[in-house]
Structures are given as C-alpha cells and as structure tokens.
Amino acid sequence: MAAPKNAKIIAFANQKGGVGKTTTALNLSAVLAGKSKKVLLVDSDPQGNASSGVGVFNSDPNKHLYHCYMNNSATSQCVQSTNVKNLSVLAASIDLVGVEVELISLKNREKKLKSILRQVRDQYDFIIIDCPPSLGLLTINSLTAADSVLIPMQCEYFALEGLAQLIATIRKVKKSLNRGLFIEGLLMSMYDRRNRLTHQVAKEIQDHFGNQVFNTVIPRNVRLSESPSHGKTIIEYDKNCPGAKAFIKLGNEFLRRNRKGQ
C-alpha cells in the first residue's frame, strides 16, 4: 500500500496585475501533471481566470471555493476534474469577492483556507494557489495555507516597487501566522529579450535575490496569450511553441529544486 501523500502547497502571488501570475500557475500545474504528479490548482481569484484557463467555465455553481469558505462544503465535493490527466481544480466564481467582507467577523479568518486544503492535502503531490492581484484577506489566507510563495514578475521598474510591498507582507505573515513560509523563487515572465530595460531590471533582480531567481524565464508569446481563451493550457494548445517549451523547462527546474529541498 502506497504511503499517503503530503502535498507541498505553493501560493503564486503578486499584487500587481498583468504579470503572468495566472498563466504561470495553470501552465506549471499542467506541466507537473504531465510528469505524473497529482496536482490541485486552487483558483483564489474572483475573476476565475485559472478555472476557465483549464476549461472549467462555472460548470457547477455549487462547487466553488466560495462554498468551502462560507458554506463549509467538503473540499473533496467541490474539486472538479479537468481535461488534463492528474490535474484537478478548486474553481472560483465572482461570489468569491464577498468572502473578504464575510470573513472579517470570523475568528481565525486568516486560517480558513488552510483548513479547507487540509481535508485533501494527502491526495496530491502539489497544491498550487493562484492568488488575486491584491494583498487582501484572500491572499493572506493563501499565504497562511502555503508552504512557499512563487512570485512571477515582469521586468519593469514598477514591478520592483510592488515586490518590496509583497515581501513585506510575506514577512508579516511568516512572523504572525505561518512561521514555515518561504519564498520558492522569483520567476521572470513576459520576458522580452529585445528590450534593454528588461535586461537591466533582470540584472537588478538577480543581483538582489541571487539563486532565489529561477534560471528559466517565460518569454512574451502570442500562443501563451491565446490558449486561456480556448480553455486550454499551453501544453494542450501548442506544445511546440516557445511558451510551452519555457514552461516545460520551468517544470524541470522546479522539480530539481524540490528534490534538493526534500
């Protein structure tokens, strides 16, 4: 009899929108699933882009993360399968917007997601949380539930300003709610090699964070932008495009890093 799993939980966070956070979360999930890892993608963003990006378009209005938060629905009852083998999703809907308001009066409100995921943690190798582009209660819940944080970011100077704020939040959560939380790594996404500014910012990030920065970079790629509108990961949509190749490379690097950490 196989030993029970104990999924590593990784929050994908950046309060700045448009940095490729959701694209990274859903496509890395798909790559890991393709390597025979059991993966649960948790869509903690009310926009629900990670859910639709893996082909789950509000298929059942009673099987969303919101119901786990507010109705105490069993997590396993709300998990939905996707077209990708080994990849399941705990989907989001616009109802999730109300969670931040409704949680305020609850005791241990920052630990609600942790208890939601505890119910299914032994069924997966990795649980990947796509956080909303804000530092509100949904993101705090995600950081409290996670073992680590992966930070996708664009190589532009405004991104560096937002990064300082995010890291300050991570430190506060680590100090008061989740002592084991650490930064999994920083990932440079939407990378344009032709842009001089991209190289300058990338160097600054590398100088400051060293080996916390993934060697793999995710390029700007039209096919990557197109795939979510078809409800497909990039591996399903066009596995030979530069974006897909970059995510396969990222998946390999991610697993190498995690083997060393075990």
mmCIF file of all heavy atoms in Angstrom, residues 4-52:
data_model
loop_
_atom_site.group_PDB
_atom_site.id
_atom_site.type_symbol
_atom_site.label_atom_id
_atom_site.label_comp_id
_atom_site.label_asym_id
_atom_site.label_seq_id
_atom_site.Cartn_x
_atom_site.Cartn_y
_atom_site.Cartn_z
ATOM 1 N N PRO A 4 0.664 7.671 2.205
ATOM 2 C CA PRO A 4 -0.158 8.839 1.866
ATOM 3 C C PRO A 4 0.719 10.011 1.451
ATOM 4 O O PRO A 4 1.835 10.176 1.950
ATOM 5 C CB PRO A 4 -0.910 9.138 3.162
ATOM 6 C CG PRO A 4 -0.126 8.470 4.243
ATOM 7 C CD PRO A 4 0.522 7.280 3.609
ATOM 8 N N LYS A 5 0.215 10.795 0.539
ATOM 9 C CA LYS A 5 0.947 11.964 0.074
ATOM 10 C C LYS A 5 0.813 13.077 1.106
ATOM 11 O O LYS A 5 -0.056 13.051 1.966
ATOM 12 C CB LYS A 5 0.376 12.445 -1.265
ATOM 13 C CG LYS A 5 0.474 11.430 -2.397
ATOM 14 C CD LYS A 5 -0.240 11.965 -3.633
ATOM 15 C CE LYS A 5 -0.340 10.912 -4.731
ATOM 16 N NZ LYS A 5 0.951 10.572 -5.330
ATOM 17 N N ASN A 6 1.669 14.054 1.014
ATOM 18 C CA ASN A 6 1.525 15.277 1.807
ATOM 19 C C ASN A 6 1.910 16.423 0.891
ATOM 20 O O ASN A 6 3.075 16.796 0.799
ATOM 21 C CB ASN A 6 2.410 15.242 3.053
ATOM 22 C CG ASN A 6 2.159 16.433 3.956
ATOM 23 O OD1 ASN A 6 1.054 16.960 4.004
ATOM 24 N ND2 ASN A 6 3.193 16.874 4.667
ATOM 25 N N ALA A 7 0.928 16.942 0.190
ATOM 26 C CA ALA A 7 1.189 17.903 -0.881
ATOM 27 C C ALA A 7 1.970 19.110 -0.394
ATOM 28 O O ALA A 7 1.726 19.632 0.698
ATOM 29 C CB ALA A 7 -0.131 18.370 -1.488
ATOM 30 N N LYS A 8 2.897 19.542 -1.216
ATOM 31 C CA LYS A 8 3.521 20.841 -0.987
ATOM 32 C C LYS A 8 2.558 21.885 -1.546
ATOM 33 O O LYS A 8 2.043 21.742 -2.659
ATOM 34 C CB LYS A 8 4.872 20.932 -1.697
ATOM 35 C CG LYS A 8 5.558 22.273 -1.477
ATOM 36 C CD LYS A 8 6.964 22.298 -2.038
ATOM 37 C CE LYS A 8 7.635 23.626 -1.696
ATOM 38 N NZ LYS A 8 9.028 23.665 -2.167
ATOM 39 N N ILE A 9 2.298 22.926 -0.764
ATOM 40 C CA ILE A 9 1.358 23.973 -1.171
ATOM 41 C C ILE A 9 2.149 25.230 -1.523
ATOM 42 O O ILE A 9 2.921 25.751 -0.714
ATOM 43 C CB ILE A 9 0.351 24.276 -0.051
ATOM 44 C CG1 ILE A 9 -0.403 22.994 0.346
ATOM 45 C CG2 ILE A 9 -0.635 25.364 -0.490
ATOM 46 C CD1 ILE A 9 -1.355 23.165 1.519
ATOM 47 N N ILE A 10 1.950 25.698 -2.760
ATOM 48 C CA ILE A 10 2.679 26.878 -3.249
ATOM 49 C C ILE A 10 1.683 27.948 -3.663
ATOM 50 O O ILE A 10 0.802 27.702 -4.481
ATOM 51 C CB ILE A 10 3.582 26.540 -4.458
ATOM 52 C CG1 ILE A 10 4.459 25.330 -4.163
ATOM 53 C CG2 ILE A 10 4.456 27.739 -4.835
ATOM 54 C CD1 ILE A 10 4.079 24.096 -4.924
ATOM 55 N N ALA A 11 1.810 29.132 -3.067
ATOM 56 C CA ALA A 11 0.975 30.276 -3.449
ATOM 57 C C ALA A 11 1.692 31.077 -4.533
ATOM 58 O O ALA A 11 2.866 31.413 -4.383
ATOM 59 C CB ALA A 11 0.706 31.156 -2.234
ATOM 60 N N PHE A 12 0.988 31.346 -5.618
ATOM 61 C CA PHE A 12 1.524 32.191 -6.677
ATOM 62 C C PHE A 12 0.964 33.587 -6.439
ATOM 63 O O PHE A 12 -0.239 33.814 -6.588
ATOM 64 C CB PHE A 12 1.100 31.669 -8.059
ATOM 65 C CG PHE A 12 1.876 30.451 -8.496
ATOM 66 C CD1 PHE A 12 1.990 29.338 -7.672
ATOM 67 C CD2 PHE A 12 2.489 30.419 -9.732
ATOM 68 C CE1 PHE A 12 2.715 28.214 -8.076
ATOM 69 C CE2 PHE A 12 3.211 29.307 -10.148
ATOM 70 C CZ PHE A 12 3.325 28.209 -9.318
ATOM 71 N N ALA A 13 1.819 34.502 -6.037
ATOM 72 C CA ALA A 13 1.337 35.800 -5.573
ATOM 73 C C ALA A 13 2.101 36.960 -6.195
ATOM 74 O O ALA A 13 3.314 36.899 -6.388
ATOM 75 C CB ALA A 13 1.443 35.878 -4.046
ATOM 76 N N ASN A 14 1.351 37.995 -6.507
ATOM 77 C CA ASN A 14 1.900 39.297 -6.877
ATOM 78 C C ASN A 14 0.711 40.250 -6.936
ATOM 79 O O ASN A 14 -0.210 40.018 -7.707
ATOM 80 C CB ASN A 14 2.621 39.252 -8.224
ATOM 81 C CG ASN A 14 3.452 40.504 -8.463
ATOM 82 O OD1 ASN A 14 3.057 41.608 -8.065
ATOM 83 N ND2 ASN A 14 4.590 40.356 -9.111
ATOM 84 N N GLN A 15 0.716 41.272 -6.084
ATOM 85 C CA GLN A 15 -0.444 42.150 -6.043
ATOM 86 C C GLN A 15 -0.562 43.029 -7.280
ATOM 87 O O GLN A 15 -1.597 43.630 -7.524
ATOM 88 C CB GLN A 15 -0.433 43.025 -4.779
ATOM 89 C CG GLN A 15 0.497 44.217 -4.802
ATOM 90 C CD GLN A 15 1.922 43.849 -4.437
ATOM 91 O OE1 GLN A 15 2.332 42.690 -4.502
ATOM 92 N NE2 GLN A 15 2.695 44.844 -4.048
ATOM 93 N N LYS A 16 0.488 43.065 -8.089
ATOM 94 C CA LYS A 16 0.431 43.809 -9.351
ATOM 95 C C LYS A 16 -0.194 42.903 -10.410
ATOM 96 O O LYS A 16 0.253 41.778 -10.612
ATOM 97 C CB LYS A 16 1.835 44.228 -9.772
ATOM 98 C CG LYS A 16 1.854 45.213 -10.922
ATOM 99 C CD LYS A 16 3.269 45.654 -11.232
ATOM 100 C CE LYS A 16 3.295 46.749 -12.287
ATOM 101 N NZ LYS A 16 2.636 46.367 -13.543
ATOM 102 N N GLY A 17 -1.233 43.368 -11.062
ATOM 103 C CA GLY A 17 -1.889 42.565 -12.097
ATOM 104 C C GLY A 17 -1.105 42.568 -13.399
ATOM 105 O O GLY A 17 -0.199 43.378 -13.605
ATOM 106 N N GLY A 18 -1.433 41.635 -14.263
ATOM 107 C CA GLY A 18 -0.836 41.615 -15.602
ATOM 108 C C GLY A 18 0.615 41.194 -15.659
ATOM 109 O O GLY A 18 1.348 41.590 -16.563
ATOM 110 N N VAL A 19 1.053 40.371 -14.685
ATOM 111 C CA VAL A 19 2.459 39.950 -14.662
ATOM 112 C C VAL A 19 2.632 38.490 -15.085
ATOM 113 O O VAL A 19 3.725 37.945 -15.014
ATOM 114 C CB VAL A 19 3.093 40.164 -13.260
ATOM 115 C CG1 VAL A 19 3.086 41.634 -12.882
ATOM 116 C CG2 VAL A 19 2.376 39.330 -12.202
ATOM 117 N N GLY A 20 1.520 37.853 -15.491
ATOM 118 C CA GLY A 20 1.616 36.454 -15.909
ATOM 119 C C GLY A 20 1.449 35.475 -14.777
ATOM 120 O O GLY A 20 1.811 34.297 -14.897
ATOM 121 N N LYS A 21 0.863 35.917 -13.665
ATOM 122 C CA LYS A 21 0.709 35.061 -12.477
ATOM 123 C C LYS A 21 -0.201 33.864 -12.761
ATOM 124 O O LYS A 21 0.159 32.712 -12.495
ATOM 125 C CB LYS A 21 0.172 35.898 -11.318
ATOM 126 C CG LYS A 21 -0.179 35.128 -10.063
ATOM 127 C CD LYS A 21 -0.717 36.048 -8.995
ATOM 128 C CE LYS A 21 -1.927 36.815 -9.451
ATOM 129 N NZ LYS A 21 -3.080 35.959 -9.854
ATOM 130 N N THR A 22 -1.391 34.139 -13.291
ATOM 131 C CA THR A 22 -2.341 33.056 -13.564
ATOM 132 C C THR A 22 -1.822 32.143 -14.666
ATOM 133 O O THR A 22 -1.928 30.915 -14.578
ATOM 134 C CB THR A 22 -3.717 33.634 -13.949
ATOM 135 O OG1 THR A 22 -4.217 34.394 -12.837
ATOM 136 C CG2 THR A 22 -4.714 32.538 -14.294
ATOM 137 N N THR A 23 -1.241 32.731 -15.707
ATOM 138 C CA THR A 23 -0.654 31.942 -16.797
ATOM 139 C C THR A 23 0.389 30.981 -16.248
ATOM 140 O O THR A 23 0.448 29.808 -16.633
ATOM 141 C CB THR A 23 -0.002 32.880 -17.841
ATOM 142 O OG1 THR A 23 -1.010 33.735 -18.376
ATOM 143 C CG2 THR A 23 0.641 32.107 -18.972
ATOM 144 N N THR A 24 1.205 31.469 -15.316
ATOM 145 C CA THR A 24 2.243 30.631 -14.714
ATOM 146 C C THR A 24 1.632 29.530 -13.860
ATOM 147 O O THR A 24 2.036 28.363 -13.949
ATOM 148 C CB THR A 24 3.193 31.497 -13.859
ATOM 149 O OG1 THR A 24 3.763 32.518 -14.687
ATOM 150 C CG2 THR A 24 4.304 30.666 -13.267
ATOM 151 N N ALA A 25 0.643 29.882 -13.039
ATOM 152 C CA ALA A 25 0.036 28.905 -12.138
ATOM 153 C C ALA A 25 -0.603 27.755 -12.906
ATOM 154 O O ALA A 25 -0.367 26.584 -12.609
ATOM 155 C CB ALA A 25 -1.000 29.590 -11.245
ATOM 156 N N LEU A 26 -1.387 28.081 -13.926
ATOM 157 C CA LEU A 26 -2.105 26.998 -14.617
ATOM 158 C C LEU A 26 -1.191 26.181 -15.525
ATOM 159 O O LEU A 26 -1.344 24.956 -15.643
ATOM 160 C CB LEU A 26 -3.339 27.533 -15.358
ATOM 161 C CG LEU A 26 -3.209 28.450 -16.559
ATOM 162 C CD1 LEU A 26 -3.141 27.681 -17.852
ATOM 163 C CD2 LEU A 26 -4.413 29.402 -16.606
ATOM 164 N N ASN A 27 -0.213 26.825 -16.146
ATOM 165 C CA ASN A 27 0.659 26.073 -17.056
ATOM 166 C C ASN A 27 1.722 25.259 -16.323
ATOM 167 O O ASN A 27 2.056 24.150 -16.751
ATOM 168 C CB ASN A 27 1.303 27.019 -18.079
ATOM 169 C CG ASN A 27 0.306 27.460 -19.135
ATOM 170 O OD1 ASN A 27 -0.362 26.641 -19.756
ATOM 171 N ND2 ASN A 27 0.165 28.760 -19.324
ATOM 172 N N LEU A 28 2.231 25.766 -15.205
ATOM 173 C CA LEU A 28 3.151 24.942 -14.411
ATOM 174 C C LEU A 28 2.387 23.758 -13.820
ATOM 175 O O LEU A 28 2.913 22.639 -13.774
ATOM 176 C CB LEU A 28 3.812 25.765 -13.311
ATOM 177 C CG LEU A 28 4.808 24.998 -12.425
ATOM 178 C CD1 LEU A 28 5.933 24.362 -13.260
ATOM 179 C CD2 LEU A 28 5.402 25.900 -11.342
ATOM 180 N N SER A 29 1.142 23.984 -13.401
ATOM 181 C CA SER A 29 0.305 22.887 -12.906
ATOM 182 C C SER A 29 0.175 21.793 -13.955
ATOM 183 O O SER A 29 0.300 20.599 -13.656
ATOM 184 C CB SER A 29 -1.091 23.406 -12.533
ATOM 185 O OG SER A 29 -1.040 24.296 -11.450
ATOM 186 N N ALA A 30 -0.078 22.205 -15.204
ATOM 187 C CA ALA A 30 -0.253 21.239 -16.298
ATOM 188 C C ALA A 30 1.030 20.474 -16.585
ATOM 189 O O ALA A 30 1.006 19.260 -16.828
ATOM 190 C CB ALA A 30 -0.731 21.957 -17.553
ATOM 191 N N VAL A 31 2.163 21.165 -16.550
ATOM 192 C CA VAL A 31 3.450 20.505 -16.804
ATOM 193 C C VAL A 31 3.739 19.477 -15.710
ATOM 194 O O VAL A 31 4.146 18.343 -15.998
ATOM 195 C CB VAL A 31 4.594 21.545 -16.888
ATOM 196 C CG1 VAL A 31 5.952 20.863 -16.871
ATOM 197 C CG2 VAL A 31 4.460 22.375 -18.164
ATOM 198 N N LEU A 32 3.500 19.840 -14.455
ATOM 199 C CA LEU A 32 3.742 18.908 -13.348
ATOM 200 C C LEU A 32 2.800 17.704 -13.451
ATOM 201 O O LEU A 32 3.207 16.567 -13.212
ATOM 202 C CB LEU A 32 3.549 19.612 -12.004
ATOM 203 C CG LEU A 32 4.556 20.730 -11.687
ATOM 204 C CD1 LEU A 32 4.185 21.435 -10.382
ATOM 205 C CD2 LEU A 32 5.983 20.193 -11.610
ATOM 206 N N ALA A 33 1.545 17.957 -13.838
ATOM 207 C CA ALA A 33 0.587 16.864 -14.021
ATOM 208 C C ALA A 33 1.049 15.927 -15.133
ATOM 209 O O ALA A 33 0.887 14.708 -15.048
ATOM 210 C CB ALA A 33 -0.802 17.420 -14.338
ATOM 211 N N GLY A 34 1.658 16.514 -16.174
ATOM 212 C CA GLY A 34 2.176 15.717 -17.284
ATOM 213 C C GLY A 34 3.370 14.865 -16.892
ATOM 214 O O GLY A 34 3.731 13.920 -17.601
ATOM 215 N N LYS A 35 3.970 15.181 -15.745
ATOM 216 C CA LYS A 35 5.099 14.395 -15.224
ATOM 217 C C LYS A 35 4.619 13.442 -14.125
ATOM 218 O O LYS A 35 5.372 13.096 -13.216
ATOM 219 C CB LYS A 35 6.191 15.341 -14.718
ATOM 220 C CG LYS A 35 6.842 16.141 -15.834
ATOM 221 C CD LYS A 35 7.920 17.076 -15.310
ATOM 222 C CE LYS A 35 8.566 17.842 -16.446
ATOM 223 N NZ LYS A 35 9.336 16.966 -17.342
ATOM 224 N N SER A 36 3.340 13.083 -14.210
ATOM 225 C CA SER A 36 2.717 12.102 -13.308
ATOM 226 C C SER A 36 2.620 12.571 -11.864
ATOM 227 O O SER A 36 2.569 11.759 -10.942
ATOM 228 C CB SER A 36 3.455 10.760 -13.379
ATOM 229 O OG SER A 36 3.409 10.255 -14.688
ATOM 230 N N LYS A 37 2.612 13.888 -11.651
ATOM 231 C CA LYS A 37 2.371 14.430 -10.317
ATOM 232 C C LYS A 37 0.884 14.755 -10.188
ATOM 233 O O LYS A 37 0.296 15.319 -11.108
ATOM 234 C CB LYS A 37 3.195 15.703 -10.081
ATOM 235 C CG LYS A 37 4.704 15.523 -10.260
ATOM 236 C CD LYS A 37 5.285 14.559 -9.257
ATOM 237 C CE LYS A 37 6.786 14.392 -9.427
ATOM 238 N NZ LYS A 37 7.337 13.376 -8.517
ATOM 239 N N LYS A 38 0.302 14.395 -9.064
ATOM 240 C CA LYS A 38 -1.101 14.732 -8.812
ATOM 241 C C LYS A 38 -1.150 16.181 -8.331
ATOM 242 O O LYS A 38 -0.514 16.524 -7.324
ATOM 243 C CB LYS A 38 -1.694 13.802 -7.750
ATOM 244 C CG LYS A 38 -1.846 12.377 -8.205
ATOM 245 C CD LYS A 38 -3.189 12.107 -8.850
ATOM 246 C CE LYS A 38 -4.320 12.131 -7.857
ATOM 247 N NZ LYS A 38 -5.631 11.858 -8.511
ATOM 248 N N VAL A 39 -1.877 17.009 -9.083
ATOM 249 C CA VAL A 39 -1.862 18.448 -8.823
ATOM 250 C C VAL A 39 -3.281 18.979 -8.627
ATOM 251 O O VAL A 39 -4.192 18.636 -9.388
ATOM 252 C CB VAL A 39 -1.189 19.218 -9.990
ATOM 253 C CG1 VAL A 39 -1.130 20.713 -9.685
ATOM 254 C CG2 VAL A 39 0.217 18.678 -10.269
ATOM 255 N N LEU A 40 -3.449 19.825 -7.615
ATOM 256 C CA LEU A 40 -4.694 20.555 -7.422
ATOM 257 C C LEU A 40 -4.406 22.038 -7.629
ATOM 258 O O LEU A 40 -3.565 22.615 -6.941
ATOM 259 C CB LEU A 40 -5.261 20.331 -6.013
ATOM 260 C CG LEU A 40 -6.513 21.146 -5.665
ATOM 261 C CD1 LEU A 40 -7.695 20.764 -6.560
ATOM 262 C CD2 LEU A 40 -6.887 20.977 -4.190
ATOM 263 N N LEU A 41 -5.095 22.634 -8.584
ATOM 264 C CA LEU A 41 -4.990 24.076 -8.836
ATOM 265 C C LEU A 41 -6.135 24.759 -8.096
ATOM 266 O O LEU A 41 -7.305 24.470 -8.345
ATOM 267 C CB LEU A 41 -5.072 24.344 -10.340
ATOM 268 C CG LEU A 41 -5.096 25.812 -10.786
ATOM 269 C CD1 LEU A 41 -3.823 26.548 -10.368
ATOM 270 C CD2 LEU A 41 -5.269 25.902 -12.307
ATOM 271 N N VAL A 42 -5.795 25.646 -7.166
ATOM 272 C CA VAL A 42 -6.803 26.354 -6.373
ATOM 273 C C VAL A 42 -6.922 27.775 -6.906
ATOM 274 O O VAL A 42 -5.966 28.551 -6.839
ATOM 275 C CB VAL A 42 -6.420 26.376 -4.872
ATOM 276 C CG1 VAL A 42 -7.460 27.146 -4.062
ATOM 277 C CG2 VAL A 42 -6.260 24.958 -4.348
ATOM 278 N N ASP A 43 -8.080 28.101 -7.453
ATOM 279 C CA ASP A 43 -8.301 29.429 -8.012
ATOM 280 C C ASP A 43 -8.858 30.330 -6.911
ATOM 281 O O ASP A 43 -10.031 30.269 -6.570
ATOM 282 C CB ASP A 43 -9.289 29.339 -9.183
ATOM 283 C CG ASP A 43 -9.345 30.637 -9.984
ATOM 284 O OD1 ASP A 43 -8.791 31.651 -9.506
ATOM 285 O OD2 ASP A 43 -9.939 30.639 -11.083
ATOM 286 N N SER A 44 -7.988 31.165 -6.354
ATOM 287 C CA SER A 44 -8.387 32.051 -5.255
ATOM 288 C C SER A 44 -8.614 33.475 -5.741
ATOM 289 O O SER A 44 -8.638 34.411 -4.941
ATOM 290 C CB SER A 44 -7.311 32.024 -4.162
ATOM 291 O OG SER A 44 -7.761 32.719 -3.021
ATOM 292 N N ASP A 45 -8.775 33.644 -7.039
ATOM 293 C CA ASP A 45 -9.012 34.956 -7.638
ATOM 294 C C ASP A 45 -10.461 35.014 -8.127
ATOM 295 O O ASP A 45 -10.863 34.191 -8.962
ATOM 296 C CB ASP A 45 -8.043 35.161 -8.808
ATOM 297 C CG ASP A 45 -8.125 36.555 -9.422
ATOM 298 O OD1 ASP A 45 -9.113 37.271 -9.159
ATOM 299 O OD2 ASP A 45 -7.207 36.921 -10.171
ATOM 300 N N PRO A 46 -11.270 35.958 -7.619
ATOM 301 C CA PRO A 46 -12.680 36.040 -8.028
ATOM 302 C C PRO A 46 -12.894 36.160 -9.540
ATOM 303 O O PRO A 46 -13.982 35.844 -10.038
ATOM 304 C CB PRO A 46 -13.185 37.302 -7.316
ATOM 305 C CG PRO A 46 -12.278 37.464 -6.143
ATOM 306 C CD PRO A 46 -10.934 36.969 -6.597
ATOM 307 N N GLN A 47 -11.869 36.601 -10.268
ATOM 308 C CA GLN A 47 -12.009 36.693 -11.730
ATOM 309 C C GLN A 47 -12.134 35.311 -12.371
ATOM 310 O O GLN A 47 -12.643 35.170 -13.475
ATOM 311 C CB GLN A 47 -10.803 37.430 -12.331
ATOM 312 C CG GLN A 47 -10.697 38.874 -11.877
ATOM 313 C CD GLN A 47 -9.413 39.528 -12.365
ATOM 314 O OE1 GLN A 47 -9.367 40.079 -13.459
ATOM 315 N NE2 GLN A 47 -8.374 39.455 -11.558
ATOM 316 N N GLY A 48 -11.636 34.288 -11.680
ATOM 317 C CA GLY A 48 -11.795 32.911 -12.143
ATOM 318 C C GLY A 48 -11.025 32.555 -13.393
ATOM 319 O O GLY A 48 -11.354 31.587 -14.082
ATOM 320 N N ASN A 49 -9.945 33.284 -13.680
ATOM 321 C CA ASN A 49 -9.209 33.028 -14.923
ATOM 322 C C ASN A 49 -8.460 31.704 -14.924
ATOM 323 O O ASN A 49 -8.317 31.070 -15.969
ATOM 324 C CB ASN A 49 -8.227 34.174 -15.203
ATOM 325 C CG ASN A 49 -8.942 35.463 -15.547
ATOM 326 O OD1 ASN A 49 -10.077 35.444 -16.021
ATOM 327 N ND2 ASN A 49 -8.310 36.596 -15.299
ATOM 328 N N ALA A 50 -7.972 31.277 -13.769
ATOM 329 C CA ALA A 50 -7.289 29.973 -13.714
ATOM 330 C C ALA A 50 -8.282 28.850 -13.981
ATOM 331 O O ALA A 50 -7.956 27.859 -14.639
ATOM 332 C CB ALA A 50 -6.607 29.784 -12.363
ATOM 333 N N SER A 51 -9.505 29.002 -13.480
ATOM 334 C CA SER A 51 -10.545 27.985 -13.699
ATOM 335 C C SER A 51 -10.885 27.868 -15.184
ATOM 336 O O SER A 51 -10.859 26.774 -15.761
ATOM 337 C CB SER A 51 -11.818 28.341 -12.913
ATOM 338 O OG SER A 51 -11.536 28.549 -11.553
ATOM 339 N N SER A 52 -11.193 28.999 -15.810
ATOM 340 C CA SER A 52 -11.549 28.955 -17.236
ATOM 341 C C SER A 52 -10.356 28.564 -18.091
ATOM 342 O O SER A 52 -10.504 27.940 -19.140
ATOM 343 C CB SER A 52 -12.117 30.304 -17.696
ATOM 344 O OG SER A 52 -11.190 31.351 -17.490
#
